[in-house]
Amino acid sequence: VGIDALAFSPSGTLAVGRENGAMELWDSKTWHLRCSSPGKNGRSVVSIIWVPGSDTTPERLLSAGLHREITEWDVQTMEPIETATSGGGAIWSLTMSRDNSSLFCACDDGSLRILSLEGGVGSLMY
């Protein structure tokens, strides 16, 4: 299955998003697969972004795609923690604000959706 998105975490883990919606985390030191989540019919991953962690907060992994949702993943189990619908159709790209407090989503309807990440892990709010 084709790869549509890649992103390295600040700690060196490689996240891989596949065209069928599957997600994988690879250890960049050994190139062994750490964990994965199977794809689902009608889902895709076209953009992946890591939110850097700190001494008190873990790194966060977010993905989005043509299925119109942003998903936050548990980086230990690759289970979805939270999802949010874009409200603007398919999502083509994700990027972070400089202070990592907001997520910007480029949507198919030409809009830019902004989500707050200030609530911590599992919090995606418009």
Side-chain angles (χ1 to χ4, degrees):
V1 177
I3 295 173
D4 285 346
L6 298 168
F8 272 103
S9 73
S11 64
T13 300
L14 177 64
V16 175
R18 297 193 177 268
E19 65 187 352
N20 68 349
M23 290 281 293
E24 302 167 355
L25 294 183
W26 291 83
D27 183 323
S28 64
K29 293 180 181 127
T30 64
W31 293 115
H32 287 111
L33 181 64
R34 279 190 28 211
C35 55
S36 63
S37 177
K40 293 182 182 177
N41 192 24
R43 296 185 66 87
S44 64
V45 176
V46 297
S47 189
I48 301 171
I49 196 160
W50 288 89
V51 181
S54 69
D55 291 339
T56 57
T57 60
E59 292 176 328
R60 298 171 70 182
L61 175 62
L62 304 162
S63 69
L66 307 181
H67 58 281
R68 305 171 183 211
E69 291 180 340
I70 302 106
T71 302
E72 181 170 0
W73 298 91
D74 180 314
V75 297
Q76 301 304 315
T77 65
M78 285 310 292
E79 293 290 325
I81 295 174
E82 181 67 77
T83 60
T85 304
S86 74
I91 303 164
W92 292 97
S93 183
L94 299 173
T95 195
M96 298 292 303
S97 61
R98 287 185 186 192
D99 64 1
N100 298 321
S101 66
S102 298
L103 178 71
F104 294 80
C105 308
C107 297
D108 198 46
D109 69 355
S111 67
L112 179 66
R113 306 293 179 161
I114 305 170
L115 285 86
S116 172
L117 300 174
E118 292 182 349
V121 173
S123 176
L124 301 172
M125 299 182 63
Y126 284 100

